[in-house]
Amino acid sequence: MPFDPLYSLTPALIQRARRIRMACFDVDGTLTDGRLYYDHQGNESKAYFVQDGLGLKLLQRHGIVAVIITARNSASAAKRGADLKIETHIGVRDKLALLQQLCQREGIELDQVAFIGDDLPDITCLRAVGLSVAPADAHPWVAQTVHWQTEAGGGRGAARQLCDVLLAAGGHLEAVLAGEQP
């Protein structure tokens, strides 16, 4: 029997996950470990976990809209989104307003959205969506707000854990493991 991403989730969380049609991902502290590196010229760099990226692509392949949203003006986040061919919004000051616009565009409700974030800029979205998620190392104020907290930390598989849960809850696990392309 293959690994079951739903093994530790309550029936109520699985039900929430089944409704998801769009998943939104914060960057710093979620798709990365939250550390910022600056070289002697002030250029910023970050590390992204390759398994998280594959998870986002798998969501797309199985009909779940994946979106990257960050408050920082981050060239690396824009590059990562472009590499993955994932819709990416950088420098977003009001994440909830953007999320509402995305829902309207997609013809879905906020309760059909999953959002994963780690700190205060994400909290309004986390309170508004159908499935709110935080990495294991999220700030405590965020951790106490969400429906579910991953076992993995930001930039170390938290996003992939969410993707795997959404794929399994949506009945896509067999197709993913078989390498099928919808």
Side-chain angles (χ1 to χ4, degrees):
M1 175 71 180
F3 169 72
D4 181 3
L6 305 177
Y7 78 97
S8 67
L9 299 185
T10 65
L13 280 173
I14 294 169
Q15 190 60 31
R16 284 180 180 278
R18 281 190 181 118
R19 294 188 40 76
I20 301 306
R21 293 186 43 211
M22 180 168 61
C24 299
F25 300 82
D26 172 49
V27 175
D28 298 311
T30 302
L31 291 178
T32 75
D33 66 8
R35 293 184 291 174
L36 302 174
Y37 299 93
Y38 294 96
D39 68 16
H40 66 283
Q41 295 177 329
N43 297 311
E44 174 185 294
S45 65
K46 305 173 192 187
Y48 295 87
F49 192 52
V50 70
Q51 290 180 12
D52 288 344
L54 178 57
L56 273 69
K57 294 303 295 177
L58 289 170
L59 290 181
Q60 279 186 322
R61 290 179 194 151
H62 293 277
I64 298 172
V65 177
V67 181
I68 295 172
I69 302 172
T70 182
R72 290 180 51 83
N73 285 314
S74 171
S76 79
K79 174 70 172 141
R80 182 64 173 149
D83 285 349
L84 293 172
K85 296 179 178 61
I86 300 288
E87 181 176 350
T88 303
H89 299 269
I90 62 170
V92 177
R93 293 293 160 230
D94 187 344
K95 291 184 179 186
L96 182 56
L98 173 63
L99 190 55
Q100 290 167 329
Q101 291 171 5
L102 293 171
C103 286
Q104 185 175 19
R105 181 192 76 196
E106 295 296 322
I108 62 174
E109 301 296 325
L110 283 168
D111 69 347
Q112 296 173 295
V113 175
F115 193 99
I116 182 169
D118 72 306
D119 212 339
L120 293 178
D122 307 310
I123 208 157
T124 57
C125 290
L126 292 167
R127 288 177 176 154
V129 298
L131 179 60
S132 58
V133 181
D137 52 358
H139 190 281
W141 290 332
V142 170
Q144 69 189 15
T145 301
V146 298
H147 297 116
W148 175 55
Q149 193 166 13
T150 65
E151 294 173 11
R156 293 179 301 279
R160 179 58 179 270
Q161 241 185 307
L162 171 58
C163 295
D164 291 351
V165 161
L166 295 178
L167 291 164
H172 304 292
L173 192 55
E174 273 189 43
V176 168
L177 293 175
E180 296 173 11
Q181 300 290 324

